[in-house]
């Protein structure tokens, strides 16, 4: 196990990602000034998704890990998505 | 295969570390000691929960008030449910036998994060104490039922917050155990211990760990929302404020249906270890059992709505949940057929663990088939919230998990304590318990079919006969329980010394001394390519 290579991410990458996250945070606040109606939630969720992706990929090192770990994480999100869809089988079709 | 030669080494029970006495236990990061800490705490809570169940049955021996009033009865079934579900069957087999045996079974010296493992137990104790606080102090014992359904959970005047927070903390304990087991099974398998050589008990722990990790946060968040609703009136579940109480049921069962598989999967795993040992034959359908384990874990996420058919869901959702629920029956049946096929043409040794395993199949079948009655939308409507449901889930949760737990403790007892229990009394305890169990719960199916609602302290005269029989059964069952527990406690001191492998088991735990030394192995075992196609 000790022979496994550990990828070292340069500070610069972390810094760039941090900046991007901060910018996205301000953008997601700024966008609430525009009247988007029903799309407001979608907008907020979109920025949250992009940020989550960045955190998982760089801060949580998924980019440099073995593929099976990425598959497992993907599987988790797939289950999450399915659970949401099923819940809406109730809400969407409720009389 | 190298076997360890650690006979002269001090075993884990006698080992003296930095702390002595009780501190040597509650600060121990040894997975075996932590397993026993769980065993003792679970056993204590089980006695409390069983006592409450006994009291409920006594109340129901006659219509009208017998020994308690309606409010006390409501509190009693709530506390009985919270204790039995959150403190006993959910940690259950993984926390006790998973902790004790899984590292040995995969040829490791401990779990991946021993300190985190100890933290899990501490959190468990903290959760238990929090819930006990809710019972002993404040405006009254919680009376919502173990499901904490909205809107009553934020309307009741009883002391609900500590109980909810306690369940939340118990959830964290469960998540940490799951995480620990996942990493351990991925990273600490001995050389040559391939995935398709893992014992089936380890496979079920693996499936369970995923559920613990992914489903438990949902109930955690839900319980936080109920607390916020109660304290600040945020309006997520409260219809007066525009919330939706059915959303609470969705969120609660998104966790609590998979939680049934947190309970039953490791129970099935233990049965899959016991049956081949006592049939003296390899397990039939090893891969099918693995696939069915993972299939149950996965499909279990998608069927929670079968608890909510009368809650006012959309028709589409009802059809969907009913259909999907039937799919769970398939992998469960695959398991049952594989256990039976393992026994077929085997040379069966009739010993206590086998009796428990065989009766597990019997009660699990009854619980499973009546589960289909409840999964089917049309029949569910008639028996929803009746004694039928109570009978069904006691056959699964107590019959399934309980019988497997007793089977497991009788199977691994010589390994854990290094002593053999008195087999005669163990068998007597089993048969008395089994007869009591059947007498207690079978009448409840009939009562439910006749329309007796659950959670009522009173009933109509026509239900009297069945209830007398059921109460009578509870006395037989408790007698069996006393015999079993007395025998096990007594034998831990006075039992005969047990050898390394008293049953002729094939898995790795039967290659370390009984009881095992501190770090299990002097040298990590290497599993040869040809050695035992699987364990
Ligand atoms: Cu369910």
């Amino acid at each position: 196990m000790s022979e496994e290579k550990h990828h070292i991410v340069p500070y610069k990458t972390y810094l760039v990602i941090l900046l991007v996250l901060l910018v996205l945070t301000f953008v997601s606040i700024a966008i609430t000034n525009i009247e988007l109606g029903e799309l407001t939630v979608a907008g907020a969720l979109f920025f949250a998704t992009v940020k989550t992706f960045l955190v998982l990929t760089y801060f949580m090192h998924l980019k440099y890990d073995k593929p099976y770990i990425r598959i497992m994480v993907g599987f988790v999100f797939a289950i999450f998505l399915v659970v949401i869809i099923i819940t809406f089988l109730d809400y969407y079709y409720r009389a | 295969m190298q076997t360890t030669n650690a006979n002269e080494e001090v075993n884990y029970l006698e080992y003296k570390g930095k702390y002595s006495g009780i501190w040597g236990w509650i600060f121990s990061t040894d997975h075996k000691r932590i397993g026993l800490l769980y065993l003792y705490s679970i056993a204590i809570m089980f006695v409390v929960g069983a006592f409450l169940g006994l009291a409920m049955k006594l109340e129901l021996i006659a219509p009208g008030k017998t020994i308690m009033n309606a409010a006390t009865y409501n509190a009693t079934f709530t506390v009985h449910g919270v204790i039995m579900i959150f403190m006993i069957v959910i940690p259950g087999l993984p926390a006790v036998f998973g902790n004790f045996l899984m590292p040995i079974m995969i040829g490791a010296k401990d779990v991946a994060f021993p300190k985190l493992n100890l933290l899990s137990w501490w959190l468990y104790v903290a959760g238990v104490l929090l819930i006990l606080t809710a019972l002993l102090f404040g405006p009254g014992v919680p009376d919502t039922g173990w499901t904490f359904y909205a809107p009553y959970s934020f309307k009741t005047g009883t002391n609900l917050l500590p109980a909810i927070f306690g369940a939340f903390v118990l959830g964290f304990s469960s998540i940490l155990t799951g995480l620990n087991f996942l990493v351990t099974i991925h990273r600490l398998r001995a050389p040559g211990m391939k995935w398709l050589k893992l014992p089936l008990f380890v496979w079920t722990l693996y499936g369970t760990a995923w559920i613990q990790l992914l489903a438990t946060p949902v109930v955690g968040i839900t319980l936080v929302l109920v607390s916020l609703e109660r304290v600040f009136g945020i309006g997520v579940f409260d219809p007066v404020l525009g919330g939706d109480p059915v959303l609470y049921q969705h969120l609660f069962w998104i966790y609590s249906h998979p939680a049934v598989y947190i309970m039953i999967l490791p129970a099935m795993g233990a049965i899959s270890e016991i049956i081949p040992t006592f049939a003296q034959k390899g397990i039939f359908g090893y891969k099918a059992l693995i696939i069915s384990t993972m299939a149950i874990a996965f499909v279990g996420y998608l069927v929670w709505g079968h608890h909510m058919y009368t809650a006012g869901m959309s028709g589409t959702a009802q059809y969907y949940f009913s259909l999907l629920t039937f799919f769970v029956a398939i992998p469960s049946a695959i398991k049952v057929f594989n256990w039976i096929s393992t026994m077929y043409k085997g040379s069966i040794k009739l010993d206590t663990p086998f009796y428990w395993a065989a009766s597990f199949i019997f009660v699990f079948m009854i619980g499973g088939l009546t589960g289909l009655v409840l999964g089917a939308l049309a029949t569910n409507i008639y028996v929803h919230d009746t004694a039928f449901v109570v009978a069904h889930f006691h056959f699964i949760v107590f019959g399934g998990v309980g019988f497997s737990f007793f089977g497991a403790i009788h199977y691994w007892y010589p390994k854990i304590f290094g002593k053999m229990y008195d087999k005669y009394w163990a068998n007597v305890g089993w048969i008395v318990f089994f007869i009591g169990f059947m007498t207690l719960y079978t009448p409840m199916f009939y009562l439910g079919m006749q329309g007796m609602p659950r959670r009522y302290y009173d009933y109509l005269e026509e239900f009297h006969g069945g209830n007398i029989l059921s109460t009578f059964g509870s006395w037989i069952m408790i007698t069996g329980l006393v015999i079993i527990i007395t025998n096990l406690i007594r034998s831990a001191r006075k039992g005969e010394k047990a050898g390394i492998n008293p049953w002729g088991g094939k898995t790795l735990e039967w290659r370390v001394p009984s009881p095992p030394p501190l770090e299990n192995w002097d040298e990590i075992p290497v599993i040869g390519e040809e050695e035992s196609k699987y364990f």
Side-chain angles (χ1 to χ4, degrees):
Chain A
M1 271 207 302
S2 52
E3 285 161 29
E4 254 175 54
K5 275 190 205 135
H6 283 279
H7 185 274
I8 310 241
V9 185
Y11 278 117
K12 206 182 138 203
T13 318
Y14 281 144
L15 207 63
V16 170
I17 299 298
L18 177 66
L19 284 175
V20 175
L21 287 174
L22 285 172
V23 169
L24 284 173
T25 306
F26 284 111
V27 173
S28 63
I29 296 169
I31 203 165
T32 53
N33 290 325
I34 312 166
E35 190 48 66
L36 287 170
E38 282 184 343
L39 288 176
T40 315
V41 177
L45 283 178
F46 171 76
F47 286 110
T49 311
V50 175
K51 279 157 68 185
T52 310
F53 181 79
L54 288 175
V55 170
L56 282 172
T57 314
Y58 293 96
F59 286 179
M60 299 185 81
H61 236 242
L62 275 187
K63 193 175 178 212
Y64 316 103
D65 269 320
K66 292 200 188 100
Y68 84 91
I69 294 188
R70 246 175 293 171
I71 293 170
M72 286 201 300
V73 174
F75 196 69
V76 170
F77 280 98
I79 290 184
F80 181 60
L81 191 71
V82 172
V83 166
I84 301 261
I85 292 172
I86 296 171
T87 310
F88 275 83
L89 282 182
D90 176 16
Y91 285 95
Y92 194 72
Y93 291 102
R94 226 185 257 180
Chain B
M1 172 75 212
Q2 306 127 323
T3 39
T4 164
N5 202 3
N7 285 315
E8 304 105 62
E9 222 176 297
V10 188
N11 72 51
Y12 81 101
L13 289 168
E14 284 159 1
Y15 174 81
K16 289 212 183 355
K18 210 157 61 173
Y19 306 98
S20 59
I22 185 152
W23 306 108
W25 283 79
I26 61 178
F27 289 120
S28 168
T29 53
D30 178 14
H31 66 101
K32 299 182 287 300
R33 287 199 169 189
I34 293 172
L36 282 199
L37 287 175
Y38 269 113
L39 176 65
Y40 298 143
S41 12
I42 285 177
I44 291 169
M45 292 324 291
F46 179 70
V47 171
V48 178
F51 185 73
L52 293 170
L54 202 64
M56 278 151 71
K57 279 284 122 187
L58 192 56
E59 167 57 36
L60 291 178
I61 197 170
K65 185 183 163 187
T66 318
I67 57 161
M68 57 176 97
N69 61 27
T72 315
Y73 188 80
N74 289 354
T76 310
F77 71 66
T78 302
V79 178
H80 170 80
V82 168
I83 289 179
M84 289 301 196
I85 299 286
F86 292 115
M87 302 181 194
I88 292 157
V89 283
I90 287 187
L93 281 105
V96 178
F97 301 107
N99 260 321
F100 196 100
L101 294 154
M102 185 269 283
I104 310 181
M105 282 177 152
I106 65 173
K109 293 193 167 184
D110 207 316
V111 293
F113 308 116
K115 283 181 183 158
L116 202 62
N117 203 13
L118 181 61
L119 179 65
S120 299
W121 180 74
W122 282 8
L123 285 175
Y124 172 85
V125 174
V128 169
L129 292 179
L130 270 167
I131 292 175
L132 292 182
T133 314
L135 310 186
L136 300 176
F137 306 101
V141 180
D143 59 350
T144 56
W146 74 276
T147 49
F148 306 123
Y149 264 13
Y152 187 60
S153 54
F154 46 83
K155 298 269 189 246
T156 173
T158 55
N159 197 12
L160 201 66
L161 278 181
I164 284 187
F165 188 52
F168 181 83
V169 173
L170 288 176
F172 258 96
S173 161
S174 184
I175 292 172
L176 293 184
T177 303
L179 183 69
N180 219 336
F181 283 10
L182 274 184
V183 178
T184 308
I185 296 170
H186 269 278
R187 305 295 288 166
L188 295 188
R189 280 169 291 128
M193 181 57 91
K194 301 208 174 97
W195 282 96
L196 288 183
K197 283 190 175 184
L198 284 176
L200 286 161
F201 184 57
V202 176
W203 264 107
T204 54
L205 289 173
Y206 183 73
T208 305
W210 273 110
I211 309 177
Q212 287 175 308
L213 193 66
L214 298 187
T216 318
V218 180
V219 80
I221 294 161
T222 312
L223 293 177
V224 169
L225 284 174
V226 167
S227 310
L228 293 176
E229 189 85 58
R230 210 174 145 81
V231 180
F232 300 111
I234 53 170
V236 178
F237 303 129
D238 190 350
V240 178
L241 301 170
D244 179 19
V246 179
L247 179 64
Y248 175 82
Q249 296 191 22
H250 274 299
L251 292 172
F252 182 81
W253 290 112
I254 286 173
Y255 164 72
S256 294
H257 184 79
V260 176
Y261 300 113
I262 294 180
M263 309 164 195
I264 199 74
L265 278 178
M268 292 166 155
I271 297 300
S272 304
E273 298 297 329
I274 294 171
I275 287 181
T277 302
F278 290 89
Q280 305 194 63
K281 192 164 158 270
I283 187 93
F284 182 89
Y286 173 79
K287 282 183 190 160
L289 282 162
I290 294 174
I291 293 168
S292 58
T293 296
M294 298 317 275
I296 290 177
F298 176 68
V299 181
Y301 279 106
L302 315 177
V303 298
W304 72 85
H306 57 223
H307 298 269
M308 307 164 52
Y309 288 145
T310 59
M313 272 192 305
S314 78
T316 315
Q318 290 180 329
Y319 289 139
Y320 162 82
F321 281 123
S322 188
L323 179 71
L324 258 269
T325 299
F326 278 88
F327 281 100
V328 186
I330 299 169
S332 309
I334 289 175
K335 282 182 182 283
V336 170
F337 286 124
N338 279 319
W339 293 323
I340 309 258
S341 309
T342 305
M343 290 183 228
Y344 180 65
K345 286 191 176 169
S347 168
I348 295 175
K349 276 188 297 185
L350 290 175
D351 254 317
T352 320
F354 184 82
Y355 288 132
W356 282 107
S359 50
F360 165 92
I361 298 180
F362 182 76
V363 291
F364 179 72
M365 290 289 289
I366 296 176
L369 292 171
T370 52
L372 290 177
V373 175
L374 294 167
L377 182 54
T379 44
N380 178 291
I381 306 292
Y382 288 95
V383 287
H384 201 97
D385 270 347
T386 65
F388 189 93
V389 180
V390 182
H392 156 73
F393 70 71
H394 279 87
F395 264 88
I396 291 286
V397 175
F398 195 15
V401 184
F403 277 51
S404 173
F405 196 97
F406 284 123
I409 189 83
H410 285 97
Y411 181 51
W412 282 304
Y413 188 92
K415 182 56 61 190
I416 295 174
F417 296 101
K419 299 275 176 70
M420 186 53 92
Y421 48 81
D422 185 322
K423 287 183 184 174
Y424 173 79
W425 283 106
N427 289 343
V428 172
W430 165 76
I431 190 69
V432 175
F433 186 92
F434 180 68
I435 292 169
F437 179 91
M438 295 304 290
T439 320
L440 166 53
Y441 295 111
T442 318
M444 295 174 84
F445 283 123
Y446 296 95
L447 291 168
M449 291 297 248
Q450 288 175 338
M452 182 180 149
R454 65 189 284 204
R455 293 182 168 174
Y456 279 40
Y457 90 124
D458 191 8
Y459 51 82
L460 300 174
E461 188 52 44
E462 62 201 89
F463 304 130
H464 198 176
N467 274 299
I468 293 178
L469 189 59
S470 177
T471 305
F472 186 60
S474 74
W475 299 337
I476 305 178
M477 195 177 76
I478 214 79
T479 312
L481 203 60
V482 169
I483 297 174
I484 294 164
I485 294 178
T486 314
N487 181 34
L488 289 179
I489 293 177
R490 197 178 163 277
S491 304
R493 293 172 174 278
K494 302 195 173 159
E496 274 173 47
K497 223 176 138 19
I500 283 196
N501 191 357
W503 312 117
K506 297 275 190 291
T507 34
L508 289 188
E509 78 272 24
W510 302 112
R511 297 186 194 177
V512 293
S514 318
L518 181 67
E519 289 195 314
N520 310 336
W521 313 93
D522 288 341
E523 216 177 308
I524 294 289
V526 176
I527 315 302
E529 195 64 40
E530 286 310 307
E531 187 172 359
S532 164
K533 198 153 103 262
Y534 40 77
F535 286 102

